[in-house]
Amino acid sequence: MGLQLLKLVSHGHLQELPEWLQKVTGLQQLELGQYDSLKKLPLWIGEMRGLLQLSLSGCSSLRELPSGMGGMTWLQHLDLSDCESLKELPAWIGGLQHLNLSRCYRVRNKGRKRGSAQNLGVTWQGMEIPGSCISSTNGAGNTRKCSCR
């Protein structure tokens, strides 16, 4: 069995993930915290088979998630808290069990399929929002409403 948990924290000036990371096998949890110069993730992150939890907390310059992450059907928890530059979420995000969007003030969903997030638990601005809630933004993109069914 390989490494199951890897934490890489507070590498302030690192602008891309190290290449050796894609060769780590058996990884179930990856925590990349406080990489405030990281603007995008490499495409190969979507090929990390068996990764159940991914934390990108504090990656304040991260602007987008790669489309290749959409194939990560095994990913259950995604922590994007304090990713202040993140603007959009891809449609595949509804396949997760939990998504943390605390202090992601600019984020909006790009095209989640209706009903795809029924079991998704979302933390947004410190509040737990059940997946059966439908969230929306007003025209300015800064007001969230939630209507549960």
Side-chain angles (χ1 to χ4, degrees), residues 8-21 32-41 58-62:
L8 300 173
V9 182
S10 295
H11 292 77
H13 297 292
L14 193 65
Q15 295 182 354
E16 58 186 42
L17 296 182
E19 289 287 323
W20 60 262
L21 189 57
L32 304 168
Q34 310 306 317
Y35 279 80
D36 48 2
S37 295
L38 184 67
K39 293 182 180 172
K40 66 178 187 174
L41 296 173
C59 295
S60 58
S61 296
L62 186 66

Side-chain angles (χ1 to χ4, degrees), residues 121-139:
V122 176
T123 302
W124 185 76
Q125 315 310 29
M127 299 181 302
E128 284 287 332
I129 301 171
S132 59
C133 292
I134 300 169
S135 62
S136 61
T137 61
N138 68 1

Side-chain angles (χ1 to χ4, degrees), residues 105-124:
Y105 302 109
R106 300 178 185 180
V107 77
R108 62 186 175 91
N109 200 331
K110 189 194 277 189
R112 181 177 49 195
K113 295 176 186 165
R114 192 168 183 78
S116 65
Q118 291 300 310
N119 297 317
L120 175 64
V122 176
T123 302
W124 185 76

Side-chain angles (χ1 to χ4, degrees), residues 6-119:
L6 179 61
K7 293 182 182 184
L8 300 173
V9 182
S10 295
H11 292 77
H13 297 292
L14 193 65
Q15 295 182 354
E16 58 186 42
L17 296 182
E19 289 287 323
W20 60 262
L21 189 57
Q22 67 182 317
K23 297 177 180 149
V24 177
T25 60
L27 196 60
Q28 295 179 358
Q29 287 182 265
L30 178 59
E31 295 182 18
L32 304 168
Q34 310 306 317
Y35 279 80
D36 48 2
S37 295
L38 184 67
K39 293 182 180 172
K40 66 178 187 174
L41 296 173
L43 294 175
W44 53 257
I45 199 149
E47 299 169 9
M48 295 186 77
R49 304 263 179 237
L51 191 64
L52 301 174
Q53 297 182 18
L54 177 60
S55 176
L56 300 167
S57 179
C59 295
S60 58
S61 296
L62 186 66
R63 295 180 181 159
E64 64 184 353
L65 299 175
S67 60
M69 285 181 68
M72 297 177 76
T73 56
W74 51 87
L75 188 64
Q76 298 172 1
H77 301 273
L78 181 58
D79 183 355
L80 298 171
S81 59
D82 296 306
C83 292
E84 299 165 0
S85 297
L86 190 65
K87 293 182 180 179
E88 292 185 331
L89 295 177
W92 59 262
I93 214 82
L96 297 169
Q97 289 180 9
H98 190 266
L99 173 64
N100 188 345
L101 293 173
S102 297
R103 292 167 301 284
C104 294
Y105 302 109
R106 300 178 185 180
V107 77
R108 62 186 175 91
N109 200 331
K110 189 194 277 189
R112 181 177 49 195
K113 295 176 186 165
R114 192 168 183 78
S116 65
Q118 291 300 310
N119 297 317

